[in-house]
Amino acid sequence: MPTPRVPSNLGASALTTMFSKLEELTPAMSDTQHTPVTVLGLGAMGQALALALVKGGRPTTVWNRTPGKDATLVAAGATSAVTVTDAIGHNGPIIAVLLDHASVHATLDPVADRLSGRQLINLTSTAPEEARELAAWAAAHRIGYLDGGIMAIPAMIGQPGASILYSGSSALFDEHRETLELLAAADYFGTDAGLASMYDFALLSNMYAMFTGFLHGAAMLRSTGIPASAFAERAVPWGTAMAQLIPEYARVIDSGDYTDPFQPLDFHKPAVDAIVRASRDAGVALDIVTPIKNLIDRQIADGNGPLAFERTVEELA
Ligand code: FVH
């Protein structure tokens, strides 16, 4: 390809004009680092996100329903807005980090008309149907909408290990990806605004099952005088080792073939029955283990005992 040549009769001022026009035409790479952002909601998470944006050099405007939560942020360089109307008066995407679905509507409904043509990134935890409802509400008001599920606690924001799952407008995600990466690793799952939330809650289900399992085991061991810290020393490596089996569980589930089990439901029944007996003998409530026993018993009663334990997903789905 021939090297483009600058016409020799161009003067310095013409060149300056040419380069500034070029910059106007290619704003994405450089301007994203100066993208102003508004954060609505300064709870523990909103403050962490806003601080990461300020540290990342984004001109950041913050608002909270109850005054007095912005001192650290203002000291760090954020601009504080007294009203939502003032906050959204600043350019750039608007990040909502509020308590729940209802609080997003309570905050944004009164200013919906002013948001026309703007971009909303909702990082409030909402159920998938609530995220879809918000996406439809946003579309009706000509607002770009991206939904996010935060897989982190506030202290993890801006640190390795934090991630935020996104779905909704791909254009919005692409345009602001660099800014979103200041908060946490950013992954996009598709245009269905409910998808990020579905992933979020699926992962949280996994987490709650793990933690409640730990609590149940800690209660069992406490009956013999063993402290939770001693149990934790065993639970972490055991849990880590068992987690390695998850991809194989997934392979079996996705194949839909449960007829060649590593360990069938019939194998798991005596183990879970023994856990129930041991728990009862230790005086530990059965709230955590009874649902597992019921799932196994029901499938065995239906004649599925020889099938893989992974078949349980069919019972649940
Ligand atoms: N904190 C965490 O570890 C989790 C991690 C995973 C994701 N969650 C979700 O993030 C959303 C915000 O969580 P947060 O930790 O900031 O929550 P709070 O500290 O409780 O702050 C709640 C903010 O919401 C404001 N708010 C509540 N109701 C209303 C309303 N009706 N109108 C306007 N704002 C409202 C509240 O304002 P104020 O009480 O200070 O006036 C806080 O700013 C959340 O969805 C988590 O599930 C965090």
Side-chain angles (χ1 to χ4, degrees), residues 42-46 64-66 69 98-99 103 107 124-125 150 152 154:
L42 297 179
M45 185 54 82
N64 194 62
R65 177 182 61 173
T66 308
K69 292 192 176 177
L98 299 162
L99 183 65
S103 56
T107 303
T124 307
S125 293
I150 304 173

Side-chain angles (χ1 to χ4, degrees), residues 40-49 63-67 69 84 96-108 122-126 148-155 157 200-201 204:
L40 303 179
L42 297 179
M45 185 54 82
Q47 290 190 41
L49 296 175
W63 169 87
N64 194 62
R65 177 182 61 173
T66 308
K69 292 192 176 177
V84 181
V97 206
L98 299 162
L99 183 65
D100 56 11
H101 177 251
S103 56
V104 177
H105 272 302
T107 303
L108 297 182
N122 180 35
L123 300 185
T124 307
S125 293
T126 57
I150 304 173
M151 307 314 300
I153 58 171
I157 294 302
D200 181 358
F201 288 146
L204 290 181

Side-chain angles (χ1 to χ4, degrees), residues 225-262:
I226 297 172
S229 53
F231 179 39
E233 280 176 29
R234 301 283 164 181
V236 171
W238 173 246
T240 305
M242 289 299 98
Q244 308 312 306
L245 298 177
I246 288 177
E248 176 57 13
Y249 268 56
R251 187 195 65 74
V252 172
I253 292 165
D254 289 344
S255 77
D257 179 3
Y258 304 107
T259 59
D260 183 21
F262 166 56

Side-chain angles (χ1 to χ4, degrees), residues 56-279:
R58 304 300 188 265
T60 305
T61 302
V62 296
W63 169 87
N64 194 62
R65 177 182 61 173
T66 308
K69 292 192 176 177
D70 56 3
T72 308
L73 292 163
V74 170
T79 301
S80 182
V82 175
T83 65
V84 181
T85 304
D86 288 345
I88 64 168
H90 294 255
N91 289 332
I94 296 153
I95 298 181
V97 206
L98 299 162
L99 183 65
D100 56 11
H101 177 251
S103 56
V104 177
H105 272 302
T107 303
L108 297 182
D109 282 356
V111 295
D113 290 343
R114 291 172 190 265
L115 290 172
S116 179
R118 300 292 299 279
Q119 296 171 319
L120 174 63
I121 301 173
N122 180 35
L123 300 185
T124 307
S125 293
T126 57
E129 280 309 315
E130 293 170 340
R132 291 179 186 121
E133 186 280 331
L134 281 166
W137 171 88
H141 290 90
R142 295 185 54 253
I143 304 165
Y145 186 82
L146 184 66
D147 202 88
I150 304 173
M151 307 314 300
I153 58 171
M156 291 167 68
I157 294 302
Q159 307 294 325
S163 79
I164 302 183
L165 318 176
Y166 295 95
S167 64
S169 166
S170 60
L172 212 161
F173 179 77
D174 290 341
E175 182 180 346
H176 297 296
R177 183 173 194 147
E178 207 177 324
T179 297
L180 298 174
E181 295 274 5
L182 293 172
L183 310 175
D187 291 309
Y188 178 77
F189 288 88
T191 54
D192 171 1
L195 266 182
S197 162
M198 193 65 95
Y199 259 104
D200 181 358
F201 288 146
L203 288 165
L204 290 181
S205 301
N206 201 160
M207 180 196 79
Y208 276 114
M210 176 187 73
F211 283 136
T212 50
F214 177 78
L215 298 176
H216 183 88
M220 289 177 78
L221 284 169
R222 180 192 278 187
S223 73
T224 63
I226 297 172
S229 53
F231 179 39
E233 280 176 29
R234 301 283 164 181
V236 171
W238 173 246
T240 305
M242 289 299 98
Q244 308 312 306
L245 298 177
I246 288 177
E248 176 57 13
Y249 268 56
R251 187 195 65 74
V252 172
I253 292 165
D254 289 344
S255 77
D257 179 3
Y258 304 107
T259 59
D260 183 21
F262 166 56
Q263 289 172 332
L265 286 153
D266 281 336
F267 168 86
H268 287 280
K269 178 172 170 53
V272 173
D273 283 350
I275 294 169
V276 169
R277 284 197 307 279
S279 303

